[in-house]
């Protein structure tokens, strides 16, 4: 049979068999259900699930998360990172037991207050495999980097023909290299 479940999944390497999902209302309406932002964890390959919400907003939290806005690092316990289209960014250093915002230092030049803590449209978060404290965040108009598991961020200076980036990937052999796919809607 089919499933009506919708969500943004992420697999964590530690502990073995662990997986996480951030439930969403539907594929068309990618907001958290019931206005509550929570992550579910399985440690037995999906047989059972536990809701995790300590530190995440629970009242009127109609947040939108893109598929690549949820990531895990390679530490044990796994660090988890989730960014929303509405500009909230959260991290859990303890496999989802507790969460805290990690918005400090974000910058987006096209929002009314470029250094506001919210309003940054997060498309993708990735942790480097060999340096798990190094995170890259692709936002709507730029790419950010953190060298301290999201406690602070700085803008990555890239030489792109456009400011809008469709996708990013962390270059595994070299922690200082990322791949970016720029997009320019006005090009022919």
């Amino acid at each position: 049979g089919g499933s009506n479940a919708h969500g943004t999944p992420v697999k964590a390497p530690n502990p073995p068999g662990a997986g996480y999902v951030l439930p969403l209302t539907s594929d068309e309406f990618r907001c958290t259900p019931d206005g509550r932002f929570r992550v579910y964890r399985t440690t037995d390959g999906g047989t059972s699930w536990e809701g995790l919400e300590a530190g995440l907003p629970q009242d009127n939290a109609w947040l939108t998360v893109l598929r690549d806005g949820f990531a895990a690092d390679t530490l044990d316990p796994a660090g988890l990172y989730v960014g929303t289209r509405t500009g909230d960014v959260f991290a859990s250093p303890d496999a989802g037991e507790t969460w805290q915002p990690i918005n400090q230092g974000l910058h987006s030049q096209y929002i009314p207050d470029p250094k506001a803590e919210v309003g940054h449209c997060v498309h993708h978060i990735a942790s480097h495999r060999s340096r798990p404290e190094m995170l890259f965040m692709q936002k709507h108009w730029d790419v950010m980097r953190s060298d301290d598991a999201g406690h602070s961020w700085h803008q990555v200076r890239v030489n792109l023909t456009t400011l809008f980036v469709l996708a990013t990937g962390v270059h595994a052999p070299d922690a200082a290299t990322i791949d970016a796919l720029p997009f320019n809607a006005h090009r022919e």
Side-chain angles (χ1 to χ4, degrees):
S3 170
N4 290 330
H6 302 276
T8 300
V10 66
K11 183 180 181 301
N14 295 307
Y20 300 83
V21 67
L22 196 153
L24 302 173
T25 303
S26 70
D27 286 338
E28 294 80 27
F29 185 60
R30 297 188 59 79
C31 283
T32 52
D34 305 322
R36 296 176 60 209
F37 195 50
R38 59 193 176 273
V39 172
Y40 285 85
R41 173 178 60 201
T42 182
T43 55
D44 57 13
T47 301
S48 61
W49 293 87
E50 170 188 15
L52 308 167
E53 53 192 46
L56 294 174
Q58 297 301 302
D59 296 321
N60 294 314
W62 301 100
L63 305 177
T64 303
V65 178
L66 294 178
R67 194 170 321 278
D68 295 327
F70 191 21
D73 64 27
T74 57
L75 295 174
D76 190 5
L80 302 175
Y81 309 93
V82 62
T84 71
R85 300 267 325 252
T86 48
D88 298 291
V89 188
F90 297 94
S92 171
D94 52 13
E97 291 294 327
T98 61
W99 294 86
Q100 60 272 338
I102 56 167
N103 300 356
Q104 189 65 36
L106 292 182
H107 180 272
S108 291
Q109 70 186 49
Y110 293 105
I111 62 176
D113 178 359
K115 294 183 180 184
E117 286 195 20
V118 296
H120 308 275
C121 182
V122 178
H123 289 215
H124 185 92
I125 294 180
S127 169
H128 196 279
R129 282 182 286 193
S130 63
R131 292 185 56 198
E133 73 285 353
M134 180 182 287
L135 303 174
F136 290 92
M137 178 192 302
Q138 173 211 335
K139 298 187 296 116
H140 197 75
W141 298 109
D142 55 10
V143 177
M144 304 292 287
R145 176 176 152 179
S146 173
D147 295 317
D148 56 9
H151 294 287
S152 63
W153 295 92
H154 60 272
Q155 192 170 22
V156 175
R157 300 290 175 207
V158 291
N159 215 6
L160 299 174
T161 57
T162 180
L163 293 175
F164 190 83
V165 180
L166 284 177
T168 56
V170 179
H171 189 66
D174 180 5
T177 302
I178 61 170
D179 299 313
L181 176 61
F183 175 75
N184 188 337
H186 303 292
R187 285 198 141 161
E188 295 182 22

